[in-house]
Amino acid sequence: MPDTVHSLSTVGLGPKRQLQYWSDALTDLCGQFSVDPLEASKLDARINYTTVSKLKLCQIEVSQHRIAHVTSPSYTSEHPYVKILFQTYGISYFEQNGCQIQIKPGDCLAYDVSSPHTIISPSLTRHEVVIVPKELLRERGFNFDRMTACKLSALTGTGRIAHDFVQAAFDEANKLSANSAAGVAETLIDLLLLPLREADAAFDRAGPEAMYVRAQAFIREHLRDPDLCIDQIATSLGCTKRYLHMLFSERGMTVSDYIWRARLQHCRQELENYGGKTITDVAFSWGFSSSSHFSRVFRKCFGVSPSAIHKGQHGTGVPADIPDGV
């Protein structure tokens, strides 16, 4: 069922009620904040927000204010989000982990919401925000232990494309079916990550190509292990199985296909070049646990039986030990 656009405003509330109302609104969205109107007598704040699958999209306008998010170690896991903020009006000053960043119209800021931070806006500001659960980014191989706030431009290149898509997604969110919303959310995340990858600062610098190379290397190192599986690979690389599936499927194969093809290539090489082992010895040394299964997949891959290659290279003096008809 399509989600609707929700609106909240502090207009018409008393000054004390305004602060509590705005703090509660922010807490519901992405974390517990304290709000200070600085020296103003009131806080005029408005927010329109909606969801697209697991993403939250917000349009926010606030008069001069300061917000602070201070967390304890036990609290950080309760709001596991990354926030992508597009500044559209006014100037804000962001501070986190000793890093101070000025945000102007046309700037985009990506940061870890759960880490303590403050944002000071000396006058009226407007910004558009995408709140992304970290789990969706971990599936794409990102390591949040090394994440720092990252500012980049939304005026040109991939930053502008990402911002334009955010605006379109917000405008059309209430017209999307659940399946369409999930697809739009996946596309939106990938678009948002394009400028972040180019900035090479906020996230794990191992992009998809580097992660694929690392996966290949791990498989090669453990190819003889009969228990080698996608769970083991994902754990070693610090990414999800879904992300690994995506990396390999984009190249026309599954992870299992890659493993078995690599094993078969090594088996054929040994059968062609080394005559001191039986076919079963070769197969088992490369992770196969069934002679009949090995013979079947070998024939499917190369169009000949392993015994035919073994006999062709070494004659009949060494027993093949797997019948041609298997």
Side-chain angles (χ1 to χ4, degrees), residues 51-195:
T51 61
V52 175
S53 189
K54 295 181 180 181
L55 304 181
K56 300 176 185 178
L57 277 59
C58 313
Q59 295 177 339
I60 303 172
E61 178 180 290
V62 194
S63 59
Q64 68 180 66
H65 71 291
R66 174 185 182 272
I67 61 172
H69 182 45
V70 181
T71 62
S72 65
S74 62
Y75 185 81
T76 56
S77 63
E78 296 183 28
H79 292 281
Y81 302 116
V82 166
K83 185 180 284 186
I84 314 293
L85 183 153
F86 296 92
Q87 192 90 351
T88 59
Y89 185 87
I91 296 175
S92 299
Y93 300 90
F94 174 89
E95 183 172 351
Q96 185 179 58
N97 299 324
C99 176
Q100 297 181 340
I101 300 174
Q102 183 187 66
I103 319 166
K104 306 184 301 297
D107 288 339
C108 172
L109 182 72
Y111 60 96
D112 185 345
V113 176
S114 64
S115 181
H117 60 278
T118 61
I119 302 177
I120 297 175
S121 300
S123 59
L124 176 72
T125 54
R126 298 189 189 101
H127 47 264
E128 298 166 4
V129 175
V130 183
I131 301 172
V132 186
K134 287 182 180 179
E135 64 183 72
L136 300 181
L137 300 180
R138 286 195 181 96
E139 291 174 358
R140 289 159 171 79
F142 293 116
N143 178 5
F144 291 94
D145 293 337
R146 299 193 303 176
M147 181 177 179
T148 57
C150 173
K151 185 178 82 167
L152 50 134
S153 175
L155 296 177
T156 61
T158 55
R160 179 177 178 180
I161 293 171
H163 187 207
D164 289 347
F165 195 91
V166 169
Q167 293 176 317
F170 187 96
D171 292 341
E172 303 301 321
N174 62 351
K175 304 179 184 71
L176 301 175
S177 66
N179 287 338
S180 295
V184 169
E186 290 290 320
T187 301
L188 179 52
I189 293 171
D190 290 337
L191 282 174
L192 290 170
L193 295 182
L194 285 175

Side-chain angles (χ1 to χ4, degrees), residues 3-320:
D3 200 357
T4 58
V5 176
H6 306 275
S7 298
L8 297 173
S9 173
T10 64
V11 175
L13 301 176
K16 290 185 178 180
R17 177 60 181 145
Q18 284 181 328
L19 298 182
Q20 186 61 53
Y21 187 82
W22 192 244
S23 177
D24 291 344
L26 296 178
T27 297
D28 289 342
L29 283 171
C30 61
Q32 187 171 9
F33 288 84
S34 63
V35 182
D36 179 358
L38 301 177
E39 297 180 354
S41 59
K42 62 178 182 177
L43 178 78
D44 290 332
R46 301 172 182 82
I47 182 171
N48 298 321
Y49 67 93
T50 188
T51 61
V52 175
S53 189
K54 295 181 180 181
L55 304 181
K56 300 176 185 178
L57 277 59
C58 313
Q59 295 177 339
I60 303 172
E61 178 180 290
V62 194
S63 59
Q64 68 180 66
H65 71 291
R66 174 185 182 272
I67 61 172
H69 182 45
V70 181
T71 62
S72 65
S74 62
Y75 185 81
T76 56
S77 63
E78 296 183 28
H79 292 281
Y81 302 116
V82 166
K83 185 180 284 186
I84 314 293
L85 183 153
F86 296 92
Q87 192 90 351
T88 59
Y89 185 87
I91 296 175
S92 299
Y93 300 90
F94 174 89
E95 183 172 351
Q96 185 179 58
N97 299 324
C99 176
Q100 297 181 340
I101 300 174
Q102 183 187 66
I103 319 166
K104 306 184 301 297
D107 288 339
C108 172
L109 182 72
Y111 60 96
D112 185 345
V113 176
S114 64
S115 181
H117 60 278
T118 61
I119 302 177
I120 297 175
S121 300
S123 59
L124 176 72
T125 54
R126 298 189 189 101
H127 47 264
E128 298 166 4
V129 175
V130 183
I131 301 172
V132 186
K134 287 182 180 179
E135 64 183 72
L136 300 181
L137 300 180
R138 286 195 181 96
E139 291 174 358
R140 289 159 171 79
F142 293 116
N143 178 5
F144 291 94
D145 293 337
R146 299 193 303 176
M147 181 177 179
T148 57
C150 173
K151 185 178 82 167
L152 50 134
S153 175
L155 296 177
T156 61
T158 55
R160 179 177 178 180
I161 293 171
H163 187 207
D164 289 347
F165 195 91
V166 169
Q167 293 176 317
F170 187 96
D171 292 341
E172 303 301 321
N174 62 351
K175 304 179 184 71
L176 301 175
S177 66
N179 287 338
S180 295
V184 169
E186 290 290 320
T187 301
L188 179 52
I189 293 171
D190 290 337
L191 282 174
L192 290 170
L193 295 182
L194 285 175
L196 294 175
R197 292 189 196 283
E198 290 179 2
D200 194 29
F203 297 111
D204 186 351
R205 290 172 173 78
E209 190 62 36
M211 184 66 77
Y212 179 67
V213 171
R214 289 174 59 198
Q216 288 179 303
F218 183 87
I219 290 171
R220 286 196 300 269
E221 292 171 6
H222 298 82
L223 203 55
R224 292 183 184 272
D225 180 0
D227 296 323
L228 177 63
C229 62
I230 190 169
D231 298 81
Q232 184 182 356
I233 302 167
T235 299
S236 174
L237 300 184
C239 64
T240 65
K241 292 188 290 183
R242 180 182 175 187
Y243 183 66
L244 275 181
H245 279 304
M246 180 189 72
L247 291 179
F248 282 80
S249 65
E250 288 177 347
R251 292 159 175 83
M253 71 188 86
T254 67
V255 179
S256 294
D257 287 339
Y258 182 90
I259 292 172
W260 291 116
R261 289 177 189 176
R263 284 173 169 166
L264 287 169
Q265 290 289 350
H266 282 283
C267 287
R268 177 164 186 162
Q269 184 178 4
E270 284 203 11
L271 291 175
E272 290 177 343
N273 297 307
Y274 305 99
K277 293 182 179 180
T278 66
I279 295 175
T280 297
D281 288 337
V282 171
F284 280 40
S285 71
W286 285 106
F288 290 88
S289 57
S290 166
S291 297
S292 59
H293 173 253
F294 169 69
S295 182
R296 186 168 58 254
V297 296
F298 190 98
R299 183 190 294 271
K300 182 178 180 180
C301 181
F302 300 114
V304 296
S305 68
S307 56
I309 289 181
H310 193 271
K311 291 176 181 177
Q313 295 297 323
H314 309 294
T316 58
V318 179

